[in-house]
Amino acid sequence: MTSTVKQGRTAIWLIVLAASGAGMYYWGRHTAAEAPAAPNAAAVDTGAQIAAQRVDGGAAPGSAASIPRYTAGAARPLPSVDTPLRLILPELQRRAANEPAAACRLAAEMEYCDSLRQRLAGAESGVDNFERQLERMPQDTPQQREQRKRMADSYQSMTDKLLTQSEHCADVPSISAEQRAGYWRRAALAGHPAAMRHYASGNAFRQQQLLDSLPALATYRGEAESIARTAAMRGDARMLASLAYAYSPRRDSMRRNFLGQAVKSDPVESLSLFLQLLDSLPPAQPDAAPAGPRTGFGRSQREMVEAQIRALTRDLPPDQANQARERASERAQSWSRAGVPRAPTASGESGASDMTPFLLQGFVPDIQRQECDPT
């Protein structure tokens, strides 16, 4: 075993132990009174009633929930994302009770730290395999020795980066999946745009923690559609796309996200939302290379949306296809226009236009911690 790998193994073990074992008493004292309460049956019923409100005769899904509009300008700034979490945790916990941005940030921080812990555990479990790979590599020539050194250096660089990132979460143990979802829900119901997207899309729930999140998922199932529609109505292109895929009858051939499992198939609504989404995307430039990355076997986002529109139009009776176009036209007058989002930078500022406002089949990317900041 090389000294580089030995150092990486030791450092990983130390940081894993520190992250998982330290600060339990501290966290227990400061979260008991402030963590969101577990969802109850009344909350589930209320959410289900909101989302289930539909008008007979094939009309569009029920109106969006009565979620207040979030006014970022009136909110206080949040601490820097570069500040170690243990130093700002009491402030975030205190403010999360009344400030949507703080609840969003607290949930995002805990999700970020949980992800780092999983990556650290994966790095430790992969050390043995990496060691064996190095040992099997020939070292007969200078080129072979150089290649072996490059691999070891690359592994050490990856480990160092992971350990540096993990310092942010030192002395802050994890909270339960249900508590974390409760913070996302609190911020979403208060109208925080990023939290609405994260919660309504189902990103607030993790596959490896589903059984720990069953009560929260029951509440989510009754609220997701209404929150997603509110976000789409207010111009969130990612939610517009996610809803379009969720309503699509073609979703049964896809890997459905949680939102797709929470709503009923509605081909007319799906087509109308895809038409709205197409109208929000930049026009095609036939004489220029597509801007941004291409997805879905080399197709651009616009091409993917156009393919969905063609398929739905082909399968729908003409009168229902016309109904979808009418809905899209009416909403163009009443809904905020969905603009292509701008990718956030590490400092929290908006960068260049993000040409991946949604992922294949309606999945959306997790929000970044800085997206919770009201500024």
Side-chain angles (χ1 to χ4, degrees), residues 36-85:
N40 53 40
V44 175
D45 291 342
T46 301
Q49 291 170 2
I50 293 174
Q53 291 175 352
R54 290 175 177 265
V55 180
D56 293 335
S63 61
S66 299
I67 298 176
R69 282 192 174 271
Y70 178 69
T71 306
R76 292 188 294 161
L78 295 173
S80 169
V81 294
D82 297 325
T83 306
L85 182 54

Side-chain angles (χ1 to χ4, degrees), residues 65 104 106 189 192 263 299 320 329 340 350:
C104 173
L106 182 55
L189 293 179
H192 190 287
V263 306
R299 294 188 299 172
Q320 292 187 9
S329 178
V340 175
S350 294

Side-chain angles (χ1 to χ4, degrees), residues 77-94:
L78 295 173
S80 169
V81 294
D82 297 325
T83 306
L85 182 54
R86 66 182 181 278
L87 300 180
I88 60 174
L89 185 59
E91 177 185 354
L92 291 178
Q93 290 172 317
R94 184 178 63 254

Side-chain angles (χ1 to χ4, degrees), residues 205-211 255 258:
F205 305 94
R206 297 310 193 203
Q207 181 68 31
Q208 66 271 20
Q209 297 170 325
L210 288 188
L211 293 182
R255 176 176 169 240
F258 284 117

